[in-house]
């Protein structure tokens, strides 16, 4: 495989998800209805992954992803592939009629690789560029599942952490260099006890792992738990910044932030494509605070791009890459 050198300053990346290519939707439906096996499913999904990677390459992104094309839902995908969850059948949550939770009926255990095959495929079509792995984290798996077995949140979460750890080990053995744990549920309960509980789980997931360890957290009042999460055993926090107009900045400075940051510079809820100039101004706002150097700043969207039309997602990524190119000459 050709090797690709990720720029030392302002590397560009994605959070993970990308608009679904029609072929991937078809594959997911066939798999759900039991018409095809898991192996056939992966083969059917690969052309969609290739299209996503090609979009990322076209835009000029340094660290790409498979666009999570195989995942209909970030929790259900893993629930369907771990032991302990009911096969099919979800609980419909009353306070949100659109939200279905998979049910935990037994001890959670890792059975076989869930993301390795498709990560390897994406890597084989990325022209040597590294492919970021995204895995739904133990806290979000816990919060967005319905437990009928453990009756103890922490016990369930630690078993989820052990299962995710297995997957991380397999991915790193296969060559993954960037491993991101997604925890969107954390900002829905921004309390010290919750943040501390996740720290214990992350110790299990990441201890001794030799890869870039990243956690993605987005939206909500993260500043309320910032002092606690800054202790997490990760190299990088990937954060939504643009949508909240960089509200977190003074807090990061105040708490002596010294890890890498994956800095969200485009809003995934807006169809408006941020200009190169606007993106540069956002990054300059961060740099002017003076607590972080350009080699620790990764540029990416606030969150996954799955809800945007593909053309808009592509255009946003292209402007991120162009802004990074110009910023490298100035910083
Ligand atoms: Zn997010």
């Amino acid at each position: 495989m050709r090797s690709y050198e990720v720029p030392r300053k302002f590397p560009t990346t994605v959070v993970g998800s990308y608009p679904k290519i029609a072929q991937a939707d078809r594959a997911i439906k066939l798999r759900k209805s039991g018409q095809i096996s898991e192996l056939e499913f992966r083969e059917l999904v690969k052309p969609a992954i290739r299209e996503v990677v090609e979009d990322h390459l076209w835009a000029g992104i340094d660290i790409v992803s498979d666009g999570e094309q195989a995942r209909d839902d970030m929790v259900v995908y893993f629930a369907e592939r771990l032991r302990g969850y009911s096969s099919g059948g979800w609980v419909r949550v009353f306070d949100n009629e659109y939200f279905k939770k998979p049910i935990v009926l037994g001890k959670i255990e890792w059975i076989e690789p869930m993301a390795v095959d498709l990560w390897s495929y994406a890597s084989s079509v990325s022209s040597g560029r590294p492919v970021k792995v995204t895995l739904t984290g133990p806290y979000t798996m816990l919060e967005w599942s319905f437990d009928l077995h453990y009756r103890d949140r922490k016990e369930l979460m630690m078993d989820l952490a052990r299962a995710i750890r297995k997957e991380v080990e397999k991915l790193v053995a296969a060559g993954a260099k960037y491993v991101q744990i997604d925890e969107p549920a954390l900002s829905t309960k921004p309390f010290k006890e919750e943040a501390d509980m996740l720290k214990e789980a992350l110790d299990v997931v990441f201890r001794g792992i030799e890869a870039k360890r990243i956690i993605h957290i987005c939206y909500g009042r993260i500043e309320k738990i910032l002092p606690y999460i800054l202790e997490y055993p990760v190299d990088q926090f990937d954060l939504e910044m643009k949508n909240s107009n960089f509200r977190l900045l003074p807090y990061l400075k105040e708490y002596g932030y010294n890890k890498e940051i994956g800095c969200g510079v485009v809003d995934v809820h807006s169809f408006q494509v941020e200009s190169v100039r606007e993106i540069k101004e956002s990054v300059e706002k961060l740099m002017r605070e003076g607590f972080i150097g350009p080699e620790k700043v990764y540029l990416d969207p606030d969150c996954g791009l799955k809800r945007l039309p593909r053309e808009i997602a592509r255009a946003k990524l292209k402007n991120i890459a162009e802004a990074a190119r110009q910023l490298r000459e100035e910083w």
Side-chain angles (χ1 to χ4, degrees), residues 15 184 216-219 302-304:
V15 173
H216 169 69
I217 308 174
C218 50
Y219 308 106
D302 273 351
C303 191

Side-chain angles (χ1 to χ4, degrees), residues 184-192 217-229 240 244 247-248 251:
L186 185 62
S187 58
T188 66
K189 288 188 184 169
F191 313 119
K192 180 180 190 299
I217 308 174
C218 50
Y219 308 106
R221 303 302 298 264
I222 294 168
E223 65 272 18
K224 289 173 68 181
I225 48 169
L226 205 52
Y228 319 117
I229 67 176
E240 160 261 312
S244 57
R247 195 190 63 222
L248 267 184
Y251 298 99

Side-chain angles (χ1 to χ4, degrees), residues 9 36 49 65 70 81 89 97 125 201-202 218 230:
K9 297 190 283 186
I36 54 172
I49 290 175
S65 84
R81 289 161 176 83
E97 61 177 311
V125 294
L202 288 175
C218 50
L230 291 183

Side-chain angles (χ1 to χ4, degrees), residues 10 32 42 59 63 77 96 101-103 173 186 206 262 297 314:
F10 302 114
K32 292 253 171 216
R42 289 181 199 159
I63 303 156
Y77 178 83
N96 182 344
K101 290 184 175 188
I103 307 167
L186 185 62
F206 277 143
V297 178
R314 257 162 64 99

Side-chain angles (χ1 to χ4, degrees), residues 25 51 57 67 79 130 158 224 228 256 286 310 312 322:
D25 263 334
E51 280 196 48
L57 297 181
M158 294 310 279
K224 289 173 68 181
Y228 319 117
L286 166 68
R310 185 174 171 190
I312 291 175
E322 175 56 23

Side-chain angles (χ1 to χ4, degrees), residues 240-251 263-265 279 281-283 285-286 302:
E240 160 261 312
M241 297 290 271
K242 176 69 177 169
N243 180 266
S244 57
N245 196 24
F246 285 72
R247 195 190 63 222
L248 267 184
L249 263 192
Y251 298 99
C263 183
V265 291
I279 294 168
E281 281 169 1
S282 293
V283 178
K285 200 187 301 192
L286 166 68
D302 273 351

Side-chain angles (χ1 to χ4, degrees), residues 281-297:
E281 281 169 1
S282 293
V283 178
E284 279 154 6
K285 200 187 301 192
L286 166 68
M287 301 313 292
R288 272 199 305 274
E289 292 288 333
F291 66 85
I292 195 164
E295 66 290 336
K296 282 190 167 182
V297 178

